[in-house]
Structures are given as C-alpha cells and as structure tokens.
Amino acid sequence: MALRPVVVTGLGIICAAGRDPADFWLRLTSGSGGLTPVRDEAYAVFEARHAGQVPDEWITSQLPDADASLDRTAQLALVAARQAMAGLTAADPGRFGIILGKCQATPDQAGRYQPMHRTGDVVAERLGLRGPRILVSTACAAGGNAVGLAKDKILAGEADAVLAGGVDPLLFGTYAGFAGLQALSTGPCRPYSRSDGLNLGEGAAFLLLEPLDLALARGAVPLAEVAGYGLSADAYHATAPDPTGRGGAAAMRRALADAGLSPGDVHYVSGHGTGTPANDAMEAKVMRLVFGERAGQVPTSSIKSFLGHTLGAAGAVEAVAAVLALRHGVAPPTIGFDGEPAATDLDFVPNVARPMDIETVVSNNYAFGGNNVSLVLTRPRGPRAYEDPPRREAVITGLGPVTGAGTGIAEVSAAISAGVRAAGRPPSLDGRTYAPRSLWRHMNRLSRMAIAASRLAWEDAGLKLPRKALDDVGLIFATGAGSAESTGGFDESIALNPNKPAVLSFSNVVLNATGGAVCQTLGLRGPTTTICNGGASASIALDCALELISAGKAEVVLVVAADERPGEAFGDPSDPPTPYETGAAEPVPGSAAVAFVVESADHCAGRGGRAYARVLATTHATHDPTDAHVPAGARTAESLSSPTEAVGAGGATSVATAELAVSAKSPDSGTSPISSTSAMGGVARGLGLRAGVVVGVGAGSSRDREEAAAVLGAAGGVLTSSAALIGDCQAASGAMNIAMAALAVRDGIAPALTGLARPVAGDLGRYLTDPVLPGPVEQALALTAAPGSVSGAVLLGAV
C-alpha cells in the first residue's frame, strides 16, 4: 500500500562543524573538523579534553536581541529552527508541529533544571507553532526518532508541516559521566579505526517535513523523501550495546520494510560511529547482518569525527548530512581515520569525501538504554497516487498501577471502593521482586516501579506470547522528569569529586533508561520510544502506540508512565486536598508508575482476551501564551479530525481537548472539530456523555476552577480525578486517569471525590462522590495536562 509521500523541504543546523547547512556541508566535504580542546577551564580536571564546541558568536549573530536572555539550549534550537523554516512563506499555525529530541535535562539562565519539554515550548512560542508538540528523549537516538515520529504525525493527518530535530548543549555533568565510564578519547575521536573513545559535542539540527503534494502546491523544492523509519530495543544492558547487533539490525530492517525497499537498494549508510570499541564493533555486526556478502560494498561513514557526539541532536545532525549527501551525490568521509580499521572488510570512506551515485541513504543511531533508530532517506520522486493509512480499532486490555493506594488493579480497585485517599503515600514494593534478583537489586526506585507496573499490566491482560513474538511488542515509556533518585545521586557525586562520579547513577540519568530496563526485564525488542511532555506524556504515548498499531508495526504495545517525588520522605497527610474543592490546599506531590496494554482489537479477539475499553479518540491541544488554546488535532477510531481555529480564548486547555475528543464521535458534528464552548452541550448530549464520567487533572490547585468550569460546560457526565488517590505524579497521573477511565467503562467504578463539599464550579451533583457509578458507562473521558505546554484527552468506550 502506497502511503502519502513525506518530504524534507528545509534544513537547519548549528554545530562545531558549521553554523548553517552550507557551511556544514563545505566543512564535511573538505575534511575540516571542528574538534578542539575544551575552552572552559572547569574541564581541566579531566584527562580527555577534546570536544565539539559551538562558538558563541555563531549563535548570537543569528539571533534577534529578544532571544538574548534565553538559555543556551533554546538559543541553539532557535538558530537551527529558523534556518529550516527560512523558505516557508505561509503556514497554518494550528497545523504546524514540532517534535524535538533531547538527551539531557538542561539548565535555565539561573542554572536550575527545566522541564524536558521547555525547549520545545520556547521554540514553538517564538515561531508560532500550534500543531502537535512532542519531546522525545531516547538519549543518543532522539534526533532520528523525532524525524520518524514527525512522519507519523503527517501520515495520521494531524499536521501539514512538522519541524523535527534535536538539540543538546555541552554540559559539565554529562562530560564527567562519560569520563567516569572511561568512554572519552584523549584526542580527536577516530571512529571505525583506532576506536579509543568518543568526543562530546553540542549543537542543534532540524528538518522541515511536509507532505509532497502540499510542498509542491506551495512551490517548495523537495530535498529528500523520508521513505521509512524503524525503532527497536536491545533489551540487553543499560549502557552497552548488544554485541550481536540484532537490535540495530532490527531497526534497519524495519526502516527498509517501512520504505518498501530492500538492503540491495541502499547506496550509503550514515553510521552512528561514536569511536568507542563497543559501538564500532557492534555496527560492523549490524552491517554484516543486514547486507550479508554485500556489506563491504556499502560505504559507511561517521561525521562524529567532525563534531563529536551531540547526544540528542546527533540523529538530526546526521539526517541533515544524509539529505545533503543525497542532494550533492557525495558521501562524507570519516576523518581522523588512522591505522587498521576495526572491521577490515567494510568501507568506512576514510578521510576523503567520495563523489558517487546516491539514491538511498540509511542513517542509524544507537543509545544508552538500548534504543535504536534507523531512517531511510531517498531522492525525492514526483507526485503519485497514495492511500490513506489504515484505521485499526485498538483496545486497552490490561492495567498495572503501582501507587500509594495499592499495587495492581485488584488492590487499587479495593482502595477506590473503600474511599481511600492516599495522596502523598509512596508505593510499596517491599517483599516483592518483579525482575531477576541480580538485576532488581541494582535498579533505582523508578525502574522498579515501572517494571512492576508493566508486569502487572501484562498479567492483567492475560497475555501469554511466545518469546519470538516479544520481538514485535512495542514499549512506549512516558515520564516527566525520569529518576529523581539517580539524578540527585549523580549530581551529588559530581559536586564532591567530578573525577569519581557515580557511574551507576549516570547510566540512569537519561530519561529512557527506565524504558530500557522494562524492555530488558520483559524481553521486549519491538518499536520503543520515550516521551517527556510532563503530565501530558501518557496520552501522547498512547497516540504513539495507536500509530504503531495502525501502521501494522505492532499488534501489542505496552505504555508505561512513571515519575517520582525526590527523596524518601513524602509525608502522609491525614487530610489530603480534595480536587475541585473551594479553598483546597496545594496538590500533594507523589510517586507512581502506571502501565496499560494497548492491542489491536483483532489481536485481542484472536486470543480470546477481555478488553477494558475501546480507544475511541485521542487529541491534544497546545498552550498559547496569549491565553488562546489551539487544538493540535484529533484521532478517532473512524476518522481523523483537523482543527481549524482557536478554541475558548481564556479558557482552560482541557476544554479544547475535551471538545475535540467528543466532537470526533458526535453524530451532530461529523468529523469537524468544535470551535466554541457554547457548542459543547449539544455535542455531549449527542454522545450520551451525561451517563459517563470525566477523569480530570484537578489536584487541588488554583487551576481546578478553570478546568472544572470548562469541562462541565463542555461535556456531560460526572467529573472526578485520581489526584486524591495517588497525588500529583506528573506523567503517571495522566496514565492513571486513562486507567481509571478504562476501569469505569468496564467495571463501573472510579475514584470518588469523597471530601467534596463546596465545588469550585457547578453543582455538587456534577461530581462523582460515590465510587460505584449508578449505571453502565458507555463512554469515559480522561484528561492529561502539562501546564503551559500541552494538554490531552482520551475518549474510551465500552466494548
């Protein structure tokens, strides 16, 4: 089946090897590397002191004065983003998205860690992008991963244009961590030859993706086609790649299959090529596994020899280089190539650029946590007929909550029925082991919670798959901040002695580490990614799962969300705040992990599974700093809706997402999104939501009033929240809301607002005050939110 062609129409880059695409390409083809001794004297404590640094004047010369106060990460991203958009004369902001890859939590101007998604929010706000907004954090695979997810958003009909890329600065702590792992080269790195270590670098890169038909209609010149992409998990080790190469090979084979191509169609491979012995040897295995006897005839080079390892930006930087290689018919070299290559039977394009016919490029990236991504880029072809992507029904079949209110859906259901209010109480896994003890005892709290939640969801779904089938099970991990325990421990060790960092903690600082631990424990090697959009992460992760199922890339996807409160002492308030109560105290932060199994309805039926609910629709809205909230698109089981105008200026973001989620199924509205809150009543009545339940994000904060007023005015049914049950747990709260909506649909119970007396909006009768719902629930709506960024809504229905 031929899908809508997606092409690259703009490029932007800033790194140690160039301040823009033209400068970058000139340096690559002339062999002019940008690795130099680190200028900052703080790095003098390390023996290895070469890195790819971006000169400050390269940044400031390309930024308006209004951006001078931004942190360095945002500045790098804005420079590359503006370059990529330079040829775009007009675009609908509501249909223009951004998907950004990052590896590290980065500091603001005051030196404090920002939310992972903040950089993407800044770029979107500065450039007026109101479409889909996602922060993907699969460590060193994030930039390439972002390009693949951007293609999905266009094929799903949620965007007409997407900026996809990555960014990471050079940070002292990260440098210390790699030095502690003894992974750094003492001089400029030499991938594929000496392979004595890597150099870190910094930078940002973006590719502007559009459907071919729309690009041609506006007169744009396609630079390359994003023909396919593939994701996989090693399920092997926290930092070391699987030495057999099977994870990397699986990603490349999936990418070629997605593109409808074979290994024989590939002319050049842009390699990951870090320069470490483990990576370079593994990549040689991947080449032999995928290309067989032809492996030595496929030129493969690493541009990290020019600019170092830019972590979350690396995949995007190398994708830009791949597009330029296609455009100019030149394979960039691996410079610094010295001595015998690590694999003598392979062609690493040593030291000198090579003119050659190039029609198809594969760009590969591998990461801590075992994440692998491959992109297939081809020369653009002309317009051609295409089909819409398939729309396959998906169901939620297993729930695995790990919370202070209980571990497992049976315990949590009992707590709900008993009216337990456990906000602020940490989950307890005492006496329970959900992984081999040799692994379990070395894991941090977040990984233990996520693994427990995943196993419990798997068991609740009744899944019994053969080992071979696990190779195709997807895993989407959602988190707001990753492991507070590991981040705190690593930061403390650096402060004490940067030459003796806590390397075990360092391996878990990357936010995808927990997802990797889940894959390793459960043996999952299917498509894998990590989403970091604060409290909206779980609903975005569900979107990714649905895209995998619709594309036929997975029949089963495990979505797991986890976040934790720093430290052991959470407090256990005897009277936690009641969501939506007038005068409620501030929310109680908490820790939790919540997993749910998503399956194609056909797969569930084929194995005789029992589903909780059908996924009827999902949608997300981005926050507008002017207080207008613009829907970013809706996905339904029957159609894909596209918003056309702003919704409810001054109202809560939840109202926009609620409207779209229900409008997509409304017999009154067809597939057109609602554009005002006044229309919501009729839509809700048409859906019968007055017999349903809305699980909101209310947690006892000042935002509760705005949310309650908007949701009660837009949707029928009764309103409740899981916050009194588990506290404010960032991404896990969003996943809990989805799980509680599924529980309401199948089992007729939901967390009740038992302490509610004076609601902030509406009558008390519009809130759920008894955990047992009065009748069958045909539909339930779950809301998620990352304040100031993205909010989401998931509409579930009875099976």
Side-chain angles (χ1 to χ4, degrees), residues 432-507:
R432 307 185 223 195
T433 301
Y434 294 88
R437 292 189 180 276
S438 58
L439 293 174
W440 188 255
R441 66 172 176 263
H442 294 299
M443 288 177 178
N444 59 27
R445 287 190 299 268
L446 197 72
S447 292
R448 288 183 177 184
M449 289 194 300
I451 288 167
S454 299
R455 282 206 181 278
L456 291 165
W458 194 266
E459 293 168 3
D460 186 48
L463 280 164
K464 295 180 180 178
L465 300 180
R467 182 176 295 275
K468 178 63 177 173
L470 298 180
D471 287 350
D472 296 316
V473 173
L475 184 284
I476 314 295
F477 177 55
T479 186
S483 172
E485 175 190 5
S486 292
T487 300
F490 178 69
D491 286 349
E492 289 175 9
S493 71
I494 295 299
L496 290 172
N497 187 345
N499 273 310
K500 292 186 177 180
V503 292
L504 181 60
S505 292
F506 178 63
S507 66

Side-chain angles (χ1 to χ4, degrees), residues 47-48 175-185 196-198 276-277 499 501 503:
E47 179 183 1
Y175 205 99
F178 276 98
L181 290 172
Q182 298 182 333
L184 297 178
S185 174
D196 60 354
L198 59 83
T276 62
N499 273 310
V503 292

Side-chain angles (χ1 to χ4, degrees), residues 133 163 232 236 276 294 339 362 365 389 422 486 524 588 616 764 781:
R133 189 183 304 175
L163 267 181
S232 73
Y236 175 75
T276 62
R294 185 172 171 263
V362 174
N365 290 102
S486 292
L524 308 181
V588 175
L616 300 181
L764 186 59
L781 189 64

Side-chain angles (χ1 to χ4, degrees), residues 37-78:
V38 182
R39 295 184 291 269
D40 190 334
E41 286 304 313
Y43 290 74
V45 297
F46 305 116
E47 179 183 1
R49 294 192 60 201
H50 272 72
Q53 303 156 93
V54 176
D56 292 344
E57 58 270 22
W58 286 11
I59 302 174
T60 56
S61 65
Q62 299 187 67
L63 288 176
D65 292 341
D67 295 334
S69 62
L70 294 173
D71 64 274
R72 186 177 181 83
T73 313
Q75 290 181 336
L76 287 166
L78 272 169

Side-chain angles (χ1 to χ4, degrees), residues 206-525:
F206 279 101
L207 296 83
L208 176 59
L209 271 59
E210 301 180 71
L212 175 63
D213 54 308
L214 295 186
L216 294 176
R218 73 174 183 86
V221 176
L223 306 177
E225 188 169 319
V226 184
Y229 83 103
L231 304 174
S232 73
D234 274 356
Y236 175 75
H237 190 271
T239 57
D242 184 341
T244 67
R246 62 179 174 178
M252 198 187 302
R253 287 169 175 152
R254 286 171 182 155
L256 290 168
D258 190 36
L261 298 173
S262 71
D265 297 312
V266 178
H267 300 111
Y268 165 64
V269 172
S270 176
H272 191 57
T274 62
T276 62
N279 175 87
D280 292 0
M282 179 273 291
E283 281 200 76
K285 294 277 184 68
V286 171
M287 293 291 290
R288 296 189 189 105
L289 285 171
V290 174
F291 295 108
E293 293 181 356
R294 185 172 171 263
Q297 303 167 32
V298 183
T300 302
S301 62
S302 168
I303 65 167
K304 289 185 178 69
S305 56
F306 287 84
L307 61 134
H309 195 337
T310 53
L311 304 177
V317 167
E318 288 151 26
V320 168
V323 171
L324 293 170
L326 283 166
R327 292 286 293 168
H328 297 282
V330 176
T334 306
I335 60 171
F337 204 87
D338 182 19
E340 287 297 317
T344 56
D345 59 325
L346 300 180
D347 178 3
F348 295 113
V349 196
N351 297 319
V352 180
R354 183 181 303 169
M356 57 183 288
D357 292 332
I358 304 177
E359 296 289 333
T360 301
V361 176
V362 174
S363 183
N364 294 327
N365 290 102
Y366 314 112
F368 275 16
N371 284 92
N372 309 300
V373 62
S374 291
L375 295 175
V376 177
L377 299 160
T378 65
R379 284 187 179 272
R381 293 177 287 163
R384 52 198 184 273
Y386 63 86
E387 300 177 54
D388 290 332
R391 299 184 178 100
R392 304 179 66 204
E393 184 173 80
V395 291
I396 292 176
T397 58
L399 304 178
V402 173
T403 73
T407 298
I409 195 60
E411 287 187 14
V412 169
S413 295
I416 291 170
S417 298
V420 170
R421 294 156 58 86
R425 185 186 304 167
S428 174
L429 295 174
D430 293 345
R432 307 185 223 195
T433 301
Y434 294 88
R437 292 189 180 276
S438 58
L439 293 174
W440 188 255
R441 66 172 176 263
H442 294 299
M443 288 177 178
N444 59 27
R445 287 190 299 268
L446 197 72
S447 292
R448 288 183 177 184
M449 289 194 300
I451 288 167
S454 299
R455 282 206 181 278
L456 291 165
W458 194 266
E459 293 168 3
D460 186 48
L463 280 164
K464 295 180 180 178
L465 300 180
R467 182 176 295 275
K468 178 63 177 173
L470 298 180
D471 287 350
D472 296 316
V473 173
L475 184 284
I476 314 295
F477 177 55
T479 186
S483 172
E485 175 190 5
S486 292
T487 300
F490 178 69
D491 286 349
E492 289 175 9
S493 71
I494 295 299
L496 290 172
N497 187 345
N499 273 310
K500 292 186 177 180
V503 292
L504 181 60
S505 292
F506 178 63
S507 66
N508 286 292
V509 165
V510 291
L511 280 79
N512 61 310
T514 298
V518 172
C519 289
Q520 184 179 353
T521 304
L522 274 65
L524 308 181
R525 294 189 174 87

